[in-house]
Amino acid sequence: MNLDLAILLAPFVAGLLVLATHVPLGAQVLRRGIVFIDLAIAQIAALGVIVAGLLDVAPGGWQVQLAAAAAAVAGALLLTWTEKRWPEVQEAQIGVLFVLAATAGILLLAKNPHGGEHLRDLLAGQILWVGFGQLWVPAAITALILALWFGWRERLPRLGFYLLFALAVTVSVQLVGVYLVFASLIVPALGVRQHAEARRLPLAYAIGIGGYALGLVLSSLFDLPSGALIVWCLAVLAVLAHASSPRRSAA
């Protein structure tokens, strides 16, 4: 077993950037009852990355970011329209959109000899290989999202929420992958839902930070996939937080 904390620092900072926006957005998603929106938007952003790759756009360049953002915004606009048109089945529509985006990615990469590997990277992510040079733009966008969210969230219309959400997911999915984006959004929010209102946000951040730190350390020690292990660490900490909630204990 070998542990090099210096190697884990940049991936951990990437995780903190994802958590910074996804923890408060996750609470809102859970409140609105549209849990699978994150998976859908993340998968659509990933589809944008796949299309950019098929057009021979250099990986990691601004053109890829633009393609992912354009796809995510298109998905957000579509979901805004479907929520207005058929609000009673919005969750089902989100699920259908996720399946369509996922299968479109499979079809587009069917003839690519490295398609399976590319899909795996988009889903599970490659957080362990994130470097500090990749984090400057996500850090700036994260600061903008947080400023808009904490300063204007009460006045954000439905479209504003979806667009802000799409921007957050676009930044996150290329850093940590679809699975970790979803887990970062939903798992901490689930773990704290029975705690007092004032404790939920700090406790959700604690679950997220602990999950990323523990997952990265364990993945380095035991040479296991980082993204998958972080998801499990987040889930375990969320279960412990839920089990220790006052309302749960009272019940």
Side-chain angles (χ1 to χ4, degrees), residues 2 9 17 70 76 86 114 123 134-135 145 176 185 230 239:
N2 183 34
L9 186 57
L17 290 176
W86 303 288
H114 303 291
L123 291 173
Q134 298 170 251
L135 299 180
I145 293 171
V176 300
L185 182 93
I230 293 170
V239 168

Side-chain angles (χ1 to χ4, degrees), residues 204-219:
Y205 274 123
I207 291 170
I209 293 168
Y212 271 84
L214 186 60
L216 285 169
V217 168
L218 291 177
S219 71

Side-chain angles (χ1 to χ4, degrees), residues 94-152:
I94 291 171
V96 170
L97 192 59
F98 163 73
V99 170
L100 289 174
T103 51
I106 293 172
L107 291 172
L108 289 174
L109 291 174
K111 302 296 184 180
N112 188 323
H114 303 291
E117 181 181 346
H118 193 36
L119 277 175
R120 185 196 64 199
D121 289 347
L122 284 171
L123 291 173
Q126 290 290 321
I127 187 174
L128 201 59
W129 306 115
V130 172
F132 280 110
Q134 298 170 251
L135 299 180
W136 295 109
V137 173
I141 296 175
T142 297
L144 174 63
I145 293 171
L146 290 175
L148 290 171
W149 179 252
F150 287 108
W152 297 84

Side-chain angles (χ1 to χ4, degrees), residues 14-15 18 22 41-53 57-72 118 120-131 134-135 137-138 141 166-182:
V18 172
H22 279 48
I41 296 294
Q43 192 66 59
I44 293 168
L47 183 61
V49 174
I50 291 172
V51 171
V57 175
W62 66 267
Q63 297 96 332
V64 175
Q65 291 282 353
L66 183 61
H118 193 36
R120 185 196 64 199
D121 289 347
L122 284 171
L123 291 173
Q126 290 290 321
I127 187 174
L128 201 59
W129 306 115
V130 172
Q134 298 170 251
L135 299 180
V137 173
I141 296 175
L167 183 59
V169 168
T170 299
V171 171
S172 303
V173 74
Q174 294 179 72
L175 288 177
V176 300
V178 173
Y179 295 154
L180 254 181
V181 166
F182 179 76

